[in-house]
Amino acid sequence: MTDGVAERSRPRDRILETAQDMFHKHGIKGVGVDAITEAAGTNKMTLYRHFESKDELIIECLRATAAKASRIWDEFEAKHPGDKLAQLHAWVQKASELLSADSRGCDMANAAVELTETDHPARRVIKELKEAQREKLVALCRDAGIGQAELLADTLSLLLEGARVSMQSVGAEGPSAQFVRMAESLIASFRAR
Amino acid sequence: MTDGVAERSRPRDRILETAQDMFHKHGIKGVGVDAITEAAGTNKMTLYRHFESKDELIIECLRATAAKASRIWDEFEAKHPGDKLAQLHAWVQKASELLSADSRGCDMANAAVELTETDHPARRVIKELKEAQREKLVALCRDAGIGQAELLADTLSLLLEGARVSMQSVGAEGPSAQFVRMAESLIASFRAR
DNA sequence: GCTGGAAGTTACAGACCGGTAACACCCTAG
DNA sequence: CTAGGGTGTTACCGGTCTGTAACTTCCAGC
């Protein structure tokens, strides 16, 4: 029915995959566990046998999303082995593609917006994962031979984060449409210094 | 008790102000109408006499927030009458101050993240208000004599939007800490063209 | 074929949600 | 003094939420 999830995988995997998808599309507080299990072709009891709470499921979803993002970084290295500057341009290109393909932005940032309780267990996970991603981009910039690597990486981060959230407010024809141009001219300007 | 809202204003104003504050702090779906009315020192019936639904209240809150932001723009004109470039720097400065003062970001962007239903009545309001703000910034850049005014305005928009959402994920010590430096060097670079 | 564990089913608890009805109150304008 | 509108109070509706209990069914490994 509303599946799209491979029918013959194990319930835990189906739940995780379905939850990722539904949290992404409808937001965390916009989806109940009943809806997830139904879409995953299973039931609530099975969910609670594999995840001790909805919060725990949320955290597992965020980790899974981060793992997917990590695999994309591997593609950069595979396509441009050793050429860090080419990988940086590939990062810009990939970010732009993801912007075009989907207008619901970053799951971790969205989760941070939704989960406002300062002691929510997902918040520390979000922070850890985001910091890891930041480190990766800083390293990439540095290895690409850019002087102020941290500053470039942080600027690119903010631009992308901004593009993703801007799309949700004003759509794809807003400021985010110029993301590639902004990012590329930024990189050029940092390389010229 | 949990007030902070002037006790002797009219119920409608107290509700609106309290709702703005609570939506901002805890998110829209994280606050029920009961909690709002209680904090505003009134009751649910009175809320529904002034607002036909929670959605309507949300929209009024967003409009009120935008109106506050609009008043900040008036300050720029008042402090630097006619000097658009100084006003642009004041914009950067003010944005930075707001970043330091509060880590819950932009109410409209946050609402867009939370309200995922594509036909939610608040979404068109968010888009309108955000587009109006964009126009203001573009006009300011253009009147400051900058060539590619749209591009600068959009870049600054994304940087600020990104800084606001980044703070919610990784805190004030993350990439957003460099916002002023990024914005100022951007402006300088655009002016040099 | 038997057995044990994973998965499905049904029902429910307890809380909270947005929204409404009915009625008592108070305060101000006439 | 009185009338009436704005406000407060209480109780309620139907729905949804996370999470659990008790029980049945299925299926793979022996």
Side-chain angles (χ1 to χ4, degrees):
Chain A
M1 292 284 176
T2 18
D3 265 339
V5 171
E7 211 21 279
R8 273 311 89 190
S9 52
R10 283 141 97 204
R12 188 181 194 281
D13 298 335
R14 275 181 286 152
I15 289 169
L16 202 53
E17 203 163 334
T18 308
Q20 271 183 266
D21 183 56
M22 295 184 74
F23 285 153
H24 179 76
K25 283 182 187 153
H26 311 297
I28 291 174
K29 298 204 179 175
V31 176
V33 291
D34 267 322
I36 294 171
T37 55
E38 188 181 350
T42 177
N43 57 73
K44 198 157 48 168
M45 270 316 302
T46 299
L47 186 153
Y48 279 103
R49 284 189 193 108
H50 290 289
F51 305 94
E52 70 175 18
S53 67
K54 185 185 181 182
D55 284 348
E56 207 61 42
L57 174 62
I58 293 167
I59 289 174
E60 289 305 310
C61 284
L62 293 175
R63 289 196 202 280
T65 306
K68 279 184 190 170
S70 197
R71 253 166 272 144
I72 294 179
W73 281 77
D74 297 340
E75 290 177 23
F76 300 155
E77 179 62 41
K79 284 198 180 176
H80 309 281
D83 187 348
K84 297 297 182 182
L85 186 60
Q87 290 180 32
L88 184 56
H89 285 116
W91 180 90
V92 173
Q93 184 59 34
K94 189 72 186 182
S96 158
E97 285 169 22
L98 293 179
L99 278 176
S100 308
D102 166 65
S103 63
R104 265 287 295 173
C106 170
D107 289 341
M108 282 178 283
N110 290 353
V113 169
E114 282 199 84
L115 308 176
T116 61
E117 307 98 314
T118 48
D119 60 344
H120 192 290
R123 294 197 69 86
R124 69 164 305 155
V125 177
I126 293 168
K127 193 175 180 190
E128 286 170 8
L129 296 174
K130 275 282 181 192
E131 279 170 352
Q133 291 185 354
R134 182 195 187 191
E135 283 310 310
K136 274 194 180 180
L137 191 57
V138 169
L140 183 55
C141 289
R142 179 162 25 230
D143 295 345
I146 285 157
Q148 296 180 285
E150 290 89 355
L151 188 57
L152 175 58
D154 285 349
T155 311
L156 289 174
S157 289
L158 292 195
L159 276 183
L160 178 56
E161 205 85 89
R164 290 171 122 173
V165 69
S166 167
M167 280 194 69
Q168 299 185 65
S169 306
V170 298
E173 286 76 32
S176 66
Q178 305 296 322
F179 171 76
V180 172
R181 212 214 292 199
M182 298 171 185
E184 286 298 345
S185 76
L186 248 179
I187 294 172
S189 137
F190 269 75
R191 295 223 309 142
R193 290 182 198 177
Chain B
M1 291 285 176
T2 15
D3 265 340
V5 172
E7 210 22 278
R8 271 314 88 190
S9 52
R10 282 140 100 206
R12 187 181 195 281
D13 298 333
R14 275 180 287 153
I15 290 170
L16 202 54
E17 203 163 334
T18 308
Q20 273 183 264
D21 183 55
M22 295 184 75
F23 286 153
H24 179 76
K25 284 182 188 156
H26 311 297
I28 290 173
K29 299 203 181 176
V31 177
V33 291
D34 268 323
I36 294 170
T37 56
E38 188 182 349
T42 176
N43 56 73
K44 198 155 50 167
M45 271 314 302
T46 300
L47 186 153
Y48 280 102
R49 285 187 192 110
H50 290 287
F51 305 93
E52 70 175 20
S53 66
K54 185 185 180 182
D55 284 348
E56 207 61 41
L57 174 62
I58 293 167
I59 290 173
E60 288 306 309
C61 284
L62 292 175
R63 288 196 201 281
T65 305
K68 279 184 191 170
S70 196
R71 252 166 272 142
I72 293 178
W73 282 77
D74 296 339
E75 289 177 22
F76 300 153
E77 179 63 40
K79 284 198 179 176
H80 308 281
D83 186 348
K84 297 297 181 180
L85 187 60
Q87 290 180 33
L88 184 56
H89 288 301
W91 180 91
V92 173
Q93 184 58 35
K94 190 71 186 183
S96 158
E97 284 170 22
L98 293 179
L99 279 177
S100 308
D102 166 63
S103 63
R104 265 287 296 172
C106 169
D107 289 342
M108 281 177 283
N110 290 353
V113 170
E114 281 199 84
L115 307 175
T116 61
E117 307 99 312
T118 47
D119 60 343
H120 193 290
R123 293 198 70 87
R124 70 164 305 154
V125 177
I126 292 169
K127 192 175 180 190
E128 286 170 9
L129 296 173
K130 275 282 182 192
E131 278 169 353
Q133 291 186 353
R134 181 193 187 192
E135 283 309 312
K136 273 194 181 180
L137 191 56
V138 169
L140 184 53
C141 290
R142 179 161 27 231
D143 295 346
I146 286 156
Q148 295 180 285
E150 290 90 354
L151 189 56
L152 175 58
D154 285 350
T155 310
L156 290 175
S157 289
L158 292 195
L159 275 183
L160 178 55
E161 206 84 88
R164 290 171 122 173
V165 70
S166 167
M167 281 194 69
Q168 298 184 67
S169 306
V170 296
E173 286 76 32
S176 65
Q178 304 297 323
F179 171 77
V180 172
R181 213 216 289 203
M182 298 171 186
E184 287 298 345
S185 76
L186 248 178
I187 294 172
S189 136
F190 269 74
R191 295 221 313 142
R193 292 182 196 178

